[in-house]
Amino acid sequence: IVGGCIGYTGAPTLCARAALRCGAGLVSVGVPEAIYAVTAVKNDEAMPFPLPSAEGKLARDALPVLLERLEKSDVCVLGPGLGRNDTLTALVQAVVMQSGTPLVLDADALFAVAQDAAVLERARAPIVLTPHDGEFARLAGPDKTGRAEAASDFAVRHGCTVVRKGPETVCAFPDGDAAVLRAGNPGMAKGGSGDVLSGMLVSLLGLGLAPMDACCAAVWLHGRAGDLAARDVGLWGMTPSDLLDRIPAALREVTE
């Protein structure tokens, strides 16, 4: 998990906890050195490590360190709480083009890629994008067709997988296949819920599931955990942490 900056310390931790809850064996969390102490206190099971930072965000010098870490990783989520500036845009694009490790791009990494979506076509490894509708519009422009059709067209044109989040989440794949999943509830429309989904997705990819299986399973399990949270604590009061606590119960329903 790579992300975080001053003011956004929760996102990479939520993502890491979700990955662990969904079965990942070892999870590392790379954050700017400026927030390393906070991240270390928040994480007992995951393994935080500091990266070079400037003004509370990842610095240009973080790139070679990050690429070296990725060589030893099965898969990476890049973007939760990352922040935005020209340096980060260049860093994200460089990771996409230089890393041979499969990537899940979320949150501010999507903003960086949206500055030049053609960078996706130069990726060395499989890429999964996890935009909500606003982030997808920044990537692809306004829909000229339906949500599913637009997501599928983008996935095919850029050779990536798109998980377009919403009440009906679209999972679109570079070969033209697509699935629409109706899961979850309005109580999940809170900051941090997407970080949980990205953590679940990267875990299933790391465990060896094919992208189609991992994406569809993660979306369904995420929605099911949300429904269990709504049942137990209510739509208004539920939080992303409530989703985390109910991932094991959602998994048990389909594994035991």
Side-chain angles (χ1 to χ4, degrees):
I1 318 294
V2 179
C5 66
I6 288 179
Y8 294 92
T9 60
T13 291
L14 285 169
C15 190
R17 289 176 179 169
L20 288 161
R21 285 289 198 181
C22 216
L26 294 174
V27 177
S28 297
V29 188
V31 297
E33 188 174 14
I35 66 166
Y36 169 73
V38 174
T39 304
V41 169
K42 290 182 177 213
N43 286 272
D44 293 319
E45 295 93 350
M47 301 171 292
F49 64 94
L51 290 164
S53 64
E55 299 180 351
K57 297 179 174 68
L58 291 183
R60 191 180 310 274
D61 294 344
L63 179 60
V65 182
L66 180 54
L67 290 174
E68 182 178 356
R69 294 289 301 228
L70 290 182
E71 289 180 1
K72 305 172 185 177
S73 303
D74 296 305
V75 62
C76 171
V77 175
L78 177 59
L82 187 68
R84 300 175 184 178
N85 60 30
D86 291 343
T87 296
L88 290 170
T89 293
L91 185 147
V92 169
Q93 293 182 359
V95 171
V96 168
M97 291 186 291
Q98 296 180 38
S99 175
T101 300
L103 297 170
V104 176
L105 302 183
D106 187 28
D108 292 322
L110 296 172
F111 176 85
V113 168
Q115 308 312 301
D116 179 13
V119 73
L120 296 167
E121 299 162 29
R122 300 194 290 275
R124 290 183 53 209
I127 302 288
V128 180
L129 310 180
T130 60
H132 55 59
D133 282 345
E135 291 167 332
F136 185 80
R138 187 181 294 116
L139 283 163
D143 289 350
K144 297 180 181 178
T145 55
R147 292 179 72 251
E149 292 81 357
S152 186
D153 178 68
F154 187 90
V156 171
R157 282 192 293 114
H158 294 285
C160 61
T161 295
V162 176
V163 178
R164 185 172 181 178
K165 298 178 290 193
E168 295 185 346
T169 294
V170 180
C171 297
F173 305 95
D175 63 358
D177 280 347
V180 179
L181 292 95
R182 299 168 180 86
N185 58 76
M188 300 168 68
K190 292 183 177 177
S193 293
D195 302 314
V196 173
L197 176 60
S198 292
M200 299 173 73
L201 174 54
V202 77
S203 179
L204 295 178
L205 288 169
L207 289 168
L209 271 70
M212 177 178 285
D213 295 333
C215 291
C216 292
V219 169
W220 187 88
L221 288 166
H222 183 252
R224 182 57 181 156
D227 287 341
L228 294 173
R231 180 196 67 188
D232 295 340
V233 303
L235 290 174
W236 287 95
M238 61 183 284
T239 68
S241 293
D242 294 318
L243 301 185
L244 287 173
D245 291 341
R246 287 156 180 84
I247 292 172
L251 280 166
R252 287 185 65 184
E253 292 184 358
V254 295
T255 60
E256 296 183 9

